Amino acid sequence: MAESKTVHSPLVTYASMLSLLTLCPPFVILLWYTMVHADGSLFQTWEYLRQNGLQGFIDIWPRPTAIAWKIIACYAAFEAALQLLLPGRRVEGPISPAGNRPVYKANGMAAYFVTLTTYLGLWWFGIFNPTIVYDHLGEIFSALIFGSLVFCVLLHIKGHLAPSSTDSGSSGNVIIDFYWGMELYPRIGKNFDIKVFTNCRFGMMSWAVLAVTYSIKQYELNGRVADSMLVNTILMLVYVTKFFWWEAGYWNTMDIAHDRAGFYICWGCLVWVPSIYTSPGMYLVNHPINLGTQLALFILVAGILCIYINYDCDRQRQEFRRTNGKCLVWGRAPSKIVASYTTTSGETKTSLLLTSGWWGLSRHFHYVPEISAAFFWTVPALFNHFLPYFYVVFLTILLLDRAKRDDDRCRSKYGKHWKLYCQKVPYRVIPGIY
C-alpha cells in the first residue's frame, strides 16, 4: 500500500492534484510573462487578460522551440554525466519503511562547482551567452512544463513494470499513484538515482544557474549590476552552495526518504523550482533598484545569518544522529528521547529524538531561518509589486504543510514516544506562537 494514503485524505489529494495539474502550468507562464513583459505588475497582466480573454492567454503562452529543447537537453545531459562520473564518497541513506538502505555517491559540491565554472567560462570566452537562456525563458518553461509531464508518466509506468526496490507499490488508485508516486527510490541501472537528479542536480542546480543568468542579463542591459541584484544573487548562491555542501543530509529528509517520486515532487523540482524559486531575480533584471551600500550590506548580512542558522540546525541534528547522541549541543550533553518503532517487515528499531539546541526551540525550527532567508533575498525588490514575494508566501505554506505532514507521520510511527516528545517540545515551527 502506498504510504501516501496516510499523508492526506483522498479528497485533499484529488483537490491538490487537480489544482496542481490545471493551475500550476498556466501560473508559471503568467508569472514569467508578468515579470518579463508586464513590469512585474499583476494589475497590468490582469488588464491584458480582461481585455483579451482566453485567446489573449493562449497568445502569450510561448511555444516550446528547438533552441529551448536544445538548452534543456544539453543542461540535463551535462548534469546527469556529472552525477554519474564525478568521484564522491559513499553515503548510506536512512533505512526505508521496507527495510532497505539506499546508497549514494556524494559528489554534489563538485558538480555544483563544475557547473558554475563551466557556465561562467562559456560566457567569459564568448562560446555561449547566458542571456540566450533569459531571452528564451518563456519557451524553456513551456518546454519544461510539457516535458516534465511526460517524464512523470514514464516514471509511473516504470513503477508498475520495473520498480527499483521493494519500496514501491500501488495504492489501487491511479490518480493518487500518479500524484504521490509509485517508487520511493527509482533508479536507472544500479547507480543513477532519479530523485537525486530531479531534486538536486536539475532543480536546485538550475536555481544557481538562473540566478547567475539574471545578473549577466542585467549587466548586458545596463552595463552594470545593481546592488539589489548583487544582494539577491549572492544570497541565492550562498543558499544553493549550503544546499550542495549539505546534500548528503538532504537525502535524510522528507523529500527523499518519505515522499515517493511522483508528479508532486518531480514536476515540482523540474518546473516549479527553476521558475518560481528564481522569480525575485527574474523581476530584478528589469528593475535595477539602487539600495545604497548601508541597506544592501544590512540585507546581505541578515540573509547570510539566516542561511547559517538554517545550516546549523541541520548540522546539529546530523551530528547528533551520527554520534548516536554522544556529542555536545550548544556546549553541553544533548537531551533526547529514545523512541522505538516497527518497520513494515515487523522489525523493532529505535531512533533518537533530539530535544535541545535548535531542536528544543520547536520541532521544525529550521523552517524559520529558511523562510526568513527567502524574505531577505526578495526584499531588494522593495515593495512596488507583490509578485516578487509570491515565492516567500508559497514557501511558508509549503513548509507549514510539510511540518504538519512530518508530525502526522512521526505520530503514527513513534506513538507514545512522539507524545512525550511533543510535551518536551510543544511548538511545531515558531517558538511561543505555533
Side-chain angles (χ1 to χ4, degrees):
M1 188 69 184
E3 188 190 4
S4 53
K5 73 170 177 49
T6 60
V7 174
H8 286 311
S9 69
L11 186 68
V12 174
T13 298
Y14 287 139
S16 54
M17 162 86 187
L18 291 171
S19 62
L20 266 174
L21 264 173
T22 53
L23 300 178
C24 288
F27 183 81
V28 166
I29 298 300
L30 284 173
L31 177 120
W32 160 79
Y33 173 79
T34 307
M35 295 298 200
V36 174
H37 296 293
D39 197 42
S41 163
L42 283 169
F43 179 73
Q44 213 172 302
T45 301
W46 171 251
E47 274 301 300
Y48 169 82
L49 291 174
R50 202 170 60 83
Q51 287 166 19
N52 299 285
L54 185 61
Q55 189 53 49
F57 175 61
I58 293 165
D59 291 343
I60 62 172
W61 189 306
R63 308 296 173 261
T65 54
I67 191 162
W69 287 115
K70 212 180 287 181
I71 288 168
I72 293 165
C74 289
Y75 169 69
F78 186 72
E79 291 306 327
L82 294 183
Q83 185 179 330
L84 277 172
L85 302 175
L86 285 177
R89 65 190 169 90
R90 182 181 183 276
V91 173
E92 292 186 348
I95 295 167
S96 71
N100 299 314
R101 195 186 268 280
V103 175
Y104 302 100
K105 183 164 64 166
N107 59 7
M109 200 65 197
Y112 176 63
F113 177 75
V114 171
T115 300
L116 286 189
T117 307
T118 306
Y119 195 57
L120 289 168
L122 291 172
W123 174 54
W124 188 256
F125 293 109
I127 301 162
F128 175 79
N129 192 337
T131 57
I132 294 168
V133 175
Y134 178 84
D135 296 339
H136 294 274
L137 206 53
E139 297 143 45
I140 290 170
F141 289 157
S142 185
L144 282 174
I145 285 166
F146 298 117
S148 302
L149 200 56
V150 173
F151 179 83
C152 291
V153 171
L154 293 174
L155 259 187
H156 182 76
I157 295 166
K158 179 192 176 302
H160 271 293
L161 301 180
S164 300
S165 75
T166 50
D167 284 291
S168 62
S170 171
S171 64
N173 182 310
V174 70
I175 293 184
I176 288 179
D177 284 351
F178 180 74
Y179 181 66
W180 284 116
M182 298 280 291
E183 295 186 76
L184 188 58
Y185 296 116
R187 295 198 165 190
I188 297 171
K190 189 166 172 275
N191 296 322
F192 190 76
D193 190 285
I194 292 174
K195 266 165 77 179
V196 170
F197 176 73
T198 56
N199 296 29
C200 309
R201 306 311 169 78
F202 194 99
M204 290 300 291
M205 200 73 79
S206 71
W207 190 349
V209 168
L210 286 172
V212 170
T213 302
Y214 299 149
S215 279
I216 292 171
K217 179 66 183 177
Q218 193 187 70
Y219 176 75
E220 300 232 333
L221 281 175
N222 304 316
R224 60 187 285 275
V225 180
D227 54 9
S228 54
M229 180 64 103
L230 270 178
V231 170
N232 167 270
T233 308
I234 291 169
L235 285 179
M236 282 186 174
L237 288 178
V238 169
Y239 181 81
V240 178
T241 306
K242 186 262 327 178
F243 174 85
F244 282 109
W245 178 259
W246 168 81
E247 189 186 41
Y250 173 68
W251 296 333
N252 292 311
T253 64
M254 201 164 179
D255 285 0
I256 300 288
H258 304 291
D259 286 342
R260 293 180 171 210
F263 176 84
Y264 169 76
I265 203 141
C266 292
W267 194 90
C269 289
L270 295 171
V271 184
W272 201 248
V273 171
S275 56
I276 308 302
Y277 287 36
T278 69
S279 58
M282 202 191 304
Y283 171 83
L284 285 169
V285 171
N286 297 317
H287 299 84
I289 295 160
N290 225 15
L291 298 171
T293 312
Q294 216 171 344
L295 182 58
L297 278 175
F298 172 76
I299 296 169
L300 185 66
V301 171
I304 289 173
L305 184 67
C306 289
I307 294 167
Y308 173 74
I309 293 171
N310 175 246
Y311 163 75
D312 198 55
C313 291
D314 290 321
R315 184 205 58 77
Q316 201 174 71
R317 183 170 61 179
Q318 213 175 334
E319 187 66 10
F320 172 77
R321 284 174 177 164
R322 191 183 64 78
T323 58
N324 229 356
K326 295 178 179 66
C327 63
L328 293 179
V329 170
W330 288 357
R332 58 181 67 168
S335 72
K336 59 184 182 283
I337 290 169
V338 180
S340 59
Y341 66 96
T342 310
T343 66
T344 49
S345 57
E347 282 182 90
T348 301
K349 295 188 180 289
T350 57
S351 280
L352 294 180
L353 306 176
L354 176 59
T355 59
S356 60
W358 297 115
W359 302 91
L361 300 177
S362 69
R363 301 194 291 277
H364 303 275
F365 179 75
H366 57 317
Y367 292 158
V368 175
E370 184 149 352
I371 292 165
S372 307
F375 173 77
F376 284 120
W377 69 59
T378 306
V379 86
L382 301 183
F383 301 100
N384 292 334
H385 294 292
F386 164 74
L387 200 55
Y389 292 87
F390 174 77
Y391 169 65
V392 184
V393 175
F394 160 76
L395 185 72
T396 305
I397 296 165
L398 175 84
L399 294 181
L400 293 182
D401 172 68
R402 189 177 290 178
K404 184 191 177 305
R405 288 198 296 131
D406 203 28
D407 273 16
D408 291 349
R409 190 183 56 76
C410 289
R411 191 176 297 112
S412 63
K413 180 178 176 179
Y414 297 120
K416 62 175 191 232
H417 301 291
W418 186 253
K419 205 172 172 187
L420 183 65
Y421 175 63
C422 291
Q423 284 166 3
K424 277 197 103 172
V425 187
Y427 294 103
R428 186 180 281 166
V429 181
I430 306 165
I433 299 172
Y434 173 69

